[in-house]
Amino acid sequence: MHSVALLTASYAKDIERFSLLSESIDTWLLGYTRHYVLVNDEDVPLFARFASEKRVIVPASNYLPKWLWALPPALQFLSKRRVWLSLLSSPVHGWHIQQILKIAGVLNAPEQRVCILDSDNLFFREFDVGQYAGAEKTPLFVTPKDIGADHPLHGLWLRTVDQLLGIKERSFPADDYVGNALVWDRDTARAMTAAIKAATGLNWVLALCRKKKFSEYLMYGHFVANSPAHLAAHRVTEDSIAVSHWDDTPLDRPAIEAMMRAASPEQVALCIQSYSSTSVDDIRDVFRLSSRDRRSPSLSPEDMGDAVEFEVPARTR
């Protein structure tokens, strides 16, 4: 078994969602060594209360190059989004920085495998992530042939990924590797960044800053898919361990409860995208009620469920 870490890139506006994620990890997860939480430097004091023996709060500056610096919040009156400046590229925003931090966090992790968890995820069943992510082959989640050439986001991201990786031939529909609670192998991530440098002639961070329209998950997935050696080291699966709400429609409590009830026994995580504007309080109430019910001594072992290991059901989108 390989060592497994958790990694989350977050920021101040997502702190309530992150609070729920961390609570769910502490309640339900087994089999990991550390949870690395990467945040903007000025947000470190806000996240300090989550630090523990197994959770480390890491300032973004630890992983970002010196030529890339954050514009102080007081000077960002012309932009609603956080801005990073550089003399080597046009400005980049927080979304780009979070993707860069995820890649850098995996590259610098002592652990061989890293499960990447965005702040809008939570776990609601006991789960041995070490068994799932630390096995001989890294799980690689895919939705086959899901990206059409005219897809407004994923199609654009994939064309950028092809440029970054030097992939010359692309046919559509293409496979989609975007998902939740995804696992990366550290050595594969290092090979991916080396491929970016070989294709662009640039440091991988600078190459991403200049391109901007990319997806870290598509980049990892398509790098693996186009490398026979790395593909052989991965276990490709169409099954997700998360049941997800990808739309921008807010969910009420009954809808959240229905999502959990609809999850198969092997689905252990819930992701309600933050842009849906679903109430965090409603999500928290449903999560805590579910946790109490599942841990109640009055329930049978069958009701409570065992720790989930390898097989997971089809992706819910």
Side-chain angles (χ1 to χ4, degrees), residues 28 124-126 265 291-308:
W28 292 116
F124 60 93
R125 288 180 176 143
E126 186 171 289
S291 296
R292 286 198 301 272
D293 287 348
R294 291 181 182 277
R295 290 192 178 276
S296 171
S298 65
L299 294 180
S300 68
E302 290 78 12
D303 291 329
M304 294 177 69
D306 297 324
V308 177

Side-chain angles (χ1 to χ4, degrees), residues 18-31:
F18 175 80
S19 176
L20 185 52
L21 168 64
S22 63
E23 181 181 343
S24 77
I25 290 171
D26 296 343
T27 301
W28 292 116
L29 249 62
L30 309 168

Side-chain angles (χ1 to χ4, degrees), residues 132 138-142 177 182-184 217 220-221 224-225 231 234-238:
Y132 174 72
T138 308
L140 179 66
F141 171 69
V142 62
Y177 295 93
L182 301 181
V183 180
W184 284 14
Y217 298 141
Y220 183 91
V224 172
L231 183 60
H234 286 69
R235 177 179 62 85
V236 179
T237 177
E238 297 177 29

Side-chain angles (χ1 to χ4, degrees), residues 15-29 32 35 49-50 55 121-124 283-285 287-289 291-292 295:
I15 195 166
E16 289 306 313
R17 295 181 184 276
F18 175 80
S19 176
L20 185 52
L21 168 64
S22 63
E23 181 181 343
S24 77
I25 290 171
D26 296 343
T27 301
W28 292 116
L29 249 62
Y32 69 97
H35 181 195
R49 62 188 171 97
F50 300 108
R55 182 167 293 116
N121 287 265
L122 65 84
F123 291 88
F124 60 93
I283 300 173
R284 180 179 288 106
D285 288 345
F287 162 73
R288 289 181 174 171
L289 178 62
S291 296
R292 286 198 301 272
R295 290 192 178 276

